[in-house]
C-alpha cells in the first residue's frame, strides 16, 4: 500500500477520546501514530463512528475535528481538519497566572512585615 501522507507520523501510544462532536457520544481510543495532519486510532471492537469525528488527546491538551480516511477492523485513519483550543487548558493557564500573582503579592507583604521591604 502506498503511503500518501503529507508528513511522517510519529509512533505514539496516547489515550484518546473519539466522538461524534458536541452532540454525539464518545468512546475511549488509543492513538497509535500522530502528526500535525492526522493520526491512526484504535477503538474497541465493533465501535462505529461517523465520518466526521472529534478526537481529544488529553496528554497533548488538544482536540481535533477530523475526517475518517480509512477503516480496517478496529483501526481508523484520521485526517485533521481543525485543531480546537481546549478551554480547560486555557482556564488552567489563567488560574496559574492568578496564583503566581497572588504568591508574589503575599511574598511582598511578608517581606514588609519582616522589615525587609
Amino acid at each position: 500500500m502506498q503511503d500518501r501522507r503529507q508528513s511522517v507520523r510519529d509512533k505514539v501510544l496516547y489515550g484518546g477520546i473519539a466522538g461524534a462532536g458536541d452532540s454525539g457520544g464518545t468512546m475511549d481510543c488509543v492513538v497509535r501514530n500522530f502528526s500535525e495532519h492526522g493520526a491512526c486510532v484504535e477503538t474497541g471492537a465493533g465501535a462505529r463512528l461517523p465520518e466526521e469525528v472529534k478526537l481529544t488527546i488529553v496528554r497533548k491538551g488538544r482536540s481535533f475535528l477530523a475526517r475518517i480516511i480509512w477503516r480496517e477492523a478496529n483501526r481508523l485513519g484520521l485526517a485533521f481538519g481543525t485543531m480546537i483550543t481546549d478551554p480547560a487548558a486555557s482556564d488552567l493557564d489563567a488560574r496559574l497566572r492568578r496564583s503566581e500573582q497572588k504568591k508574589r503579592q503575599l511574598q511582598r507583604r511578608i517581606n514588609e512585615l519582616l522589615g525587609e521591604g
Side-chain angles (χ1 to χ4, degrees):
M1 183 164 133
Q2 181 183 3
D3 190 355
R4 299 177 300 195
R5 297 180 184 140
Q6 294 177 14
S7 59
V8 177
R9 290 193 184 166
D10 296 322
K11 291 185 187 234
V12 297
L13 189 60
Y14 296 148
I17 302 169
D22 295 330
S23 61
T26 61
M27 69 181 68
D28 292 335
C29 64
V30 176
V31 180
R32 295 292 183 179
N33 65 41
F34 178 83
S35 77
E36 62 185 70
H37 299 288
C40 173
V41 299
E42 188 173 316
T43 61
R48 296 295 299 166
L49 287 168
E51 294 302 311
E52 300 283 328
V53 298
K54 176 182 174 184
L55 174 67
T56 301
I57 304 173
V58 177
R59 185 174 187 176
K60 295 190 82 53
R62 294 191 279 177
S63 296
F64 302 88
L65 292 179
R67 190 175 80 252
I68 296 175
I69 300 300
W70 57 264
R71 296 174 192 256
E72 184 177 296
N74 62 337
R75 288 189 176 219
L76 306 170
L78 302 179
F80 297 149
T82 307
M83 184 174 77
I84 304 167
T85 303
D86 189 356
S90 298
D91 181 51
L92 182 59
D93 290 342
R95 289 176 32 211
L96 180 60
R97 281 192 298 276
R98 285 192 304 268
S99 176
E100 289 173 346
Q101 182 181 20
K102 184 68 171 175
K103 178 185 168 192
R104 286 190 300 271
Q105 290 171 346
L106 291 172
Q107 189 62 52
R108 280 194 300 267
R109 182 64 179 142
I110 289 169
N111 290 342
E112 287 174 9
L113 292 172
L114 294 175
E116 298 174 7

